[in-house]
Amino acid sequence: MFPEQASTFAPEVDHLLYFLLGVSVFFTVLIFGALFYFAIRYRRRSEQELPAVVHGGMALEILWTVIPFGLTMIMFTWGASIFFRESRPPNNAMNIYVVGKQWMWKLQHQEGQREINELHIPVGVPVKLTMTSEDVIHSFFVPAFRTKQDVVPGRYSTTWFTPTKPGKYHLFCAEYCGTKHSGMIGWVYVMERKDYQDWLSGGRAMGSLAENGEKLFMSLACGNCHHPDGSGRCPSLVGLYNSNVRLSSGNDIHADEAYIRESILQPNAKVVAGFQPVMPTFQGLVTEEGVLQLIEYVKSLSQTPAATPAVNTNAPLTPSATPTPKR
Ligand code: CUA
């Protein structure tokens, strides 16, 4: 009846579901029982029978208003508390990027590993997914984690979970996205931490996301204008991520992933105060995966070495490798 429980959210979601099912079954039985009982007990016994007129009872009215109100408020607060926690990834979560397209899931680890329709993650570690789509709306659904989040073109959506059990779990697309929607499936492999480290070290030659982002940054000649010391025609990107930016409109904006993405694809949407709108758009020149690599590079410019996550390795740059923004 129920998929396996393999994340910290799974038992919580199930308990709420059991409660909803219990309340529904109780009232279904109560209402239909009363319906049949009253239909028989107060049936019309002769052609001439006219029942006495009843003008309602205040106690009954209050009772059947207050009880359902209380029950629905319990459902609301319980559901909202799970929803809020599922919407807020913890700061120490491992960041993995997801790009959906007709009809596959493309995943990138910060260390550089790329996967298609497969996701390898360690057990017991919170994992945050930052997701976007290249074409239409998809939905990232792992029943064993009780996680389902729409993946929308043109914006980033996030979800997170902490897997609790090593194993192999179904990954589905849960939003009808065209002919082969039903084939847009895959597997999530939850591994022991040591196995995950071994798996991770298998693909280091490709370079980390930030390193690939740096190569892309160079090949697109972004550095011609974005000088690190701020002397260029465009703002310095050092320390940009997670900072507050004053715009030429006079407003401030928090420099998150969505802002950096927009500034690459629609540079003139939000121009930094004191600068001219001279940057050309990179729409069509950079794939969504390339944008994510550039974002990781910009993020890396804001990190002191000590602040980088423990899973990051100081793998040497491989100058021979070329940037590979695959479509
Ligand atoms: Cu992608 Cu359905």
Side-chain angles (χ1 to χ4, degrees):
M1 278 282 281
F2 291 94
E4 210 174 330
Q5 295 180 337
S7 82
T8 49
F9 285 128
E12 294 189 41
V13 172
D14 286 359
H15 291 155
L16 175 59
L17 180 67
Y18 297 145
F19 174 74
L20 296 177
L21 274 176
V23 171
S24 304
V25 167
F26 174 78
F27 278 101
T28 305
V29 169
L30 182 74
I31 289 166
F32 276 86
L35 198 71
F36 285 116
Y37 173 75
F38 291 141
I40 293 163
R41 174 78 176 74
Y42 299 107
R43 69 188 184 277
R44 200 177 185 196
R45 282 157 217 266
S46 74
E47 286 289 310
Q48 287 73 40
E49 187 183 348
L50 281 175
V53 178
V54 180
H55 286 286
M58 188 55 94
L60 203 58
E61 297 263 1
I62 289 171
L63 202 68
W64 71 38
T65 305
V66 168
I67 290 177
F69 177 75
L71 282 170
T72 47
M73 286 318 283
I74 291 171
M75 293 170 192
F76 169 71
T77 45
W78 192 346
S81 104
I82 295 177
F83 177 81
F84 282 132
R85 272 176 293 132
E86 281 214 16
S87 311
R88 288 187 190 155
N91 289 331
N92 63 346
M94 193 173 144
N95 210 353
I96 291 174
Y97 292 102
V98 181
V99 176
K101 66 173 277 192
Q102 290 168 319
W103 287 276
M104 63 170 82
W105 295 107
K106 298 186 286 187
L107 301 108
Q108 303 188 90
H109 294 248
Q110 281 190 306
E111 294 78 4
Q113 275 75 5
R114 291 159 163 231
E115 308 188 68
I116 288 181
N117 294 338
E118 286 188 351
L119 172 61
H120 290 76
I121 43 173
V123 70
V125 175
V127 174
K128 174 188 171 188
L129 303 180
T130 303
M131 308 188 285
T132 189
S133 165
E134 281 183 19
D135 35 47
V136 299
I137 303 178
H138 305 277
S139 185
F140 193 95
F141 179 33
V142 184
F145 296 167
R146 310 294 189 271
T147 301
K148 190 195 275 176
Q149 175 62 49
D150 274 12
V151 178
V152 183
R155 58 173 289 180
Y156 291 132
S157 46
T158 59
T159 187
W160 77 281
F161 42 77
T162 305
T164 50
K165 243 195 257 177
K168 183 182 174 189
Y169 306 103
H170 276 293
L171 159 65
F172 294 108
C173 177
E175 182 77 52
Y176 180 68
C177 55
T179 315
K180 291 181 191 152
H181 155 73
S182 64
M184 195 169 161
I185 52 175
W187 294 101
V188 178
Y189 296 91
V190 177
M191 311 166 88
E192 295 291 355
R193 291 195 198 191
K194 196 198 151 292
D195 297 341
Y196 177 73
Q197 287 304 332
D198 292 347
W199 177 86
L200 210 53
S201 58
R204 277 206 183 126
M206 293 189 289
S208 74
L209 269 195
E211 286 160 5
N212 284 319
E214 185 175 13
K215 287 176 207 154
L216 195 53
F217 190 83
M218 297 304 174
S219 73
L220 294 168
C222 310
N224 287 356
C225 298
H226 290 284
H227 296 177
D229 60 1
S231 65
R233 294 200 297 154
C234 299
S236 164
L237 303 176
V238 175
L240 168 68
Y241 179 69
N242 235 347
S243 69
N244 280 321
V245 178
R246 173 59 52 90
L247 302 175
S248 55
S249 62
N251 296 330
D252 280 359
I253 189 155
H254 180 238
D256 57 4
E257 287 90 346
Y259 167 72
I260 299 174
R261 178 181 183 280
E262 183 187 59
S263 297
I264 295 168
L265 300 178
Q266 293 156 36
N268 298 337
K270 295 189 178 74
V271 176
V272 177
F275 289 89
Q276 295 301 311
V278 292
M279 177 170 157
T281 175
F282 284 83
Q283 190 101 51
L285 297 174
V286 197
T287 61
E288 289 291 352
E289 286 153 282
V291 172
L292 290 168
Q293 292 170 358
L294 287 171
I295 290 174
E296 270 303 305
Y297 172 59
V298 172
K299 279 188 183 180
S300 73
L301 298 175
S302 308
Q303 282 168 341
T304 53
T308 48
V311 280
N312 264 7
T313 54
N314 296 318
L317 270 167
T318 46
S320 58
T322 48
T324 50
K326 291 194 194 86
R327 275 182 192 277

